[in-house]
Amino acid sequence: MGMSRDKERYRRQLLIDGWGDEAQGKVAQSSVTVVGAGGLGSAALLYLAAAGVGRIRIIDSDELALSNLNRQVLYGDRYIDGKKAEHAAARLSELNPDIEVEALPTRLTAENIEQHLPAEGLLVDCLDNFETRFLLNRHAVKHGLPLVHAGVEGMYGQLTCVFPGETPCLECLFSSSKGSLHAALPREIPVLGAAVGTMGCLQALEALKIITGLGTTLRNRLLVFDGLHARFDEVEIKRDSRCAVCAP
Ligand SMILES: [Zn+2]
């Protein structure tokens, strides 16, 4: 990876006001773990790799199914039955061979999370289930790591950034003990590729702003996307002082 090659690859983003070599250097030094390589992950991973995130770790234990391909555009028909994490890593290395990509085709559990998730860098929640999402949230809070959360259903989505100790964590927002939100979801959540891809792109954008320090992130704000009616709204969110995970 030479400097001139970097200058050329990232030329169009280096032109962005306030980006420049310093921000690009931060991106090159950054380490991002994306948990879930489905619809959200497909978009988030491609744009993180394209922007030059130096180390990307992909965690997903699933194999690709035909019914994934309406939204999981990282893959192709010929990868059906293959491990998503491995194909995702190969695709990202093809897009940008100058970064390090690691695939972990593993299901995260309370027992193995410390082993598989780093205690540094940035976490991106591209999951489709609350059980693993709450595990990821606990890990983020325990180690003080920023976590970019998104969730989707149908043509709707939501997005926020968790900064442990400063903003609500996912337990503050979706309390695992209440269970109403996730228990009510059908086993197979309806989802449109263009809507979930929009949220995945926004996750990559938030992650890159956290890394570079540019702009304003979704701190204490939940962005709500209504793709059916082309509306973005935001809700102010507050920490739960009795949160089982992040309360002091
Ligand atoms: Zn909390």
Side-chain angles (χ1 to χ4, degrees):
M1 159 172 58
M3 275 305 280
S4 63
R5 187 176 155 86
D6 279 4
K7 285 261 189 240
E8 192 56 23
R9 177 182 289 273
Y10 305 117
R11 189 165 75 191
R12 297 292 286 271
Q13 68 202 45
L14 289 166
L15 289 170
I16 294 169
D17 226 7
W19 194 286
D21 290 336
E22 196 189 335
Q24 193 60 47
K26 288 178 184 168
V27 176
Q29 292 299 313
S30 69
S31 162
V32 177
T33 301
V34 175
V35 186
L40 289 167
S42 282
L45 283 164
L46 283 170
Y47 286 104
L48 291 168
V53 168
R55 289 201 63 192
I56 298 178
R57 182 178 304 206
I58 308 162
I59 304 182
D60 195 309
S61 63
D62 284 352
E63 278 146 25
L64 186 71
L66 180 58
S67 64
N68 297 152
L69 287 173
N70 80 315
R71 61 196 184 283
Q72 299 183 15
V73 296
L74 195 50
Y75 313 107
D77 203 82
R78 69 193 166 106
Y79 298 125
I80 287 169
D81 296 334
K83 284 282 184 193
K84 286 187 198 176
E86 285 162 7
H87 287 303
R91 174 73 184 91
L92 297 193
S93 297
E94 188 182 84
L95 172 64
N96 190 347
D98 296 337
I99 61 170
E100 266 179 62
V101 185
E102 186 186 358
L104 271 164
T106 310
R107 177 165 291 278
L108 290 181
T109 64
E111 289 69 39
N112 71 16
I113 193 161
E114 283 297 329
Q115 181 194 338
H116 294 308
L117 275 187
E120 56 181 23
L122 193 148
L123 305 173
V124 185
D125 164 15
C126 293
L127 288 156
D128 61 357
N129 75 86
F130 271 89
E131 197 186 334
T132 315
R133 184 168 276 149
F134 283 126
L135 282 178
L136 182 63
N137 179 62
R138 277 183 183 274
H139 185 84
V141 171
K142 181 178 172 190
H143 296 284
L145 309 180
L147 168 66
V148 181
H149 158 76
V152 288
E153 188 177 348
M155 292 170 74
Y156 302 89
Q158 63 185 26
L159 187 79
T160 193
C161 299
V162 174
F163 297 93
E166 294 176 48
T167 71
C169 76
L170 299 183
E171 182 76 28
C172 291
L173 298 176
F174 313 117
S175 180
S176 58
S177 57
K178 285 179 196 147
S180 56
L181 181 69
H182 21 293
L185 289 176
R187 274 178 61 87
E188 223 175 18
I189 301 165
V191 62
L192 184 70
V196 68
T198 300
M199 303 315 287
C201 286
L202 285 171
Q203 286 184 290
L205 183 57
E206 289 305 295
L208 291 166
K209 288 189 300 177
I210 293 170
I211 292 163
T212 58
L214 284 177
T216 308
T217 55
L218 282 166
R219 192 180 283 262
N220 296 313
R221 296 185 292 152
L222 181 75
L223 188 76
V224 181
F225 173 56
D226 172 355
L228 189 60
H229 299 104
R231 288 201 178 95
F232 281 99
D233 288 304
E234 65 174 71
V235 181
E236 192 188 338
I237 48 176
K238 293 205 167 76
R239 290 181 73 185
D240 176 355
S241 58
R242 289 177 303 172
C243 175
V245 175
C246 79

